[in-house]
Amino acid sequence: MSIIKPHNPWESGDPFATSERLESGEGFRLLQWPIKLWKISETAPFFHGAHLLVAADCAAFCHVNLHERLTPGRIPLLCCPETDFDISTKLAKIISINDIRSVTVIRMDMPCCTNLTAMVQDAIKLSRKPLPFQTVSVFVDAEEVD
């Protein structure tokens, strides 16, 4: 069994860094912890100038290349619109307090994820900051189309 130590951004000397490709080319490392939206501090230093990636918990497990295609350059925040409490309010605080540059939502094309896009749009409205926004839907029974 392998033990993996989470990467600590303060050890690297760059607390404002985002996810990046490993030099070996074998994946990515997260430069922030935690990644669950409800656990993260609204004033974390890595939010300054960040592009946010708000992803449904299960999306990363359903799309084999999701991490390598969509995470680089973004701060991933995982949440579940069905089980997490008050996503809009928590995200609005993060956007209000920090200099966020854009928000990308990754949701499943399933009934449990129906409201995730609306929750994030509500957070942007509550923050009163105009931000570039996009949504990516992951389909369980579909092929990838570029």
Side-chain angles (χ1 to χ4, degrees):
M1 171 172 28
S2 298
I3 298 174
I4 300 170
K5 178 185 172 196
H7 179 73
N8 184 341
W10 291 274
E11 289 175 0
S12 71
D14 187 1
F16 304 113
T18 59
S19 302
E20 63 185 24
R21 184 177 299 277
L22 294 174
E23 290 179 17
S24 65
E26 294 181 11
F28 293 91
R29 71 174 146 204
L30 295 172
L31 297 185
Q32 99 274 357
W33 190 261
I35 59 174
K36 287 292 288 179
L37 178 63
W38 68 270
K39 291 183 93 173
I40 205 156
S41 169
E42 294 95 352
T43 58
F46 48 75
F47 282 133
H48 180 70
H51 298 274
L52 299 182
L53 179 71
V54 180
D57 286 339
C58 51
F61 293 99
C62 295
H63 188 297
V64 69
N65 296 324
L66 184 97
H67 191 63
E68 67 187 23
R69 291 191 64 196
L70 296 170
T71 303
R74 295 183 175 104
I75 298 293
L77 301 172
L78 297 181
C79 60
C80 178
E82 192 171 62
T83 60
D84 288 358
F85 179 74
D86 218 358
I87 292 170
S88 296
T89 303
K90 176 77 174 199
L91 196 55
K93 287 179 185 176
I94 291 170
I95 295 169
S96 296
I97 294 170
N98 300 284
D99 179 28
I100 303 299
R101 295 188 179 162
S102 70
V103 180
T104 300
V105 174
I106 300 175
R107 61 176 292 271
M108 296 299 299
D109 187 48
M110 302 302 270
C112 54
C113 269
T114 302
N115 295 327
L116 184 58
T117 301
M119 290 174 178
V120 175
Q121 287 175 323
D122 288 346
I124 293 170
K125 288 177 189 173
L126 287 169
S127 74
R128 296 186 175 154
K129 291 185 176 181
L131 290 175
F133 172 81
Q134 68 176 343
T135 299
V136 177
S137 294
V138 176
F139 294 83
V140 176
D141 296 326
E143 64 184 72
E144 185 175 334
V145 179
D146 287 327

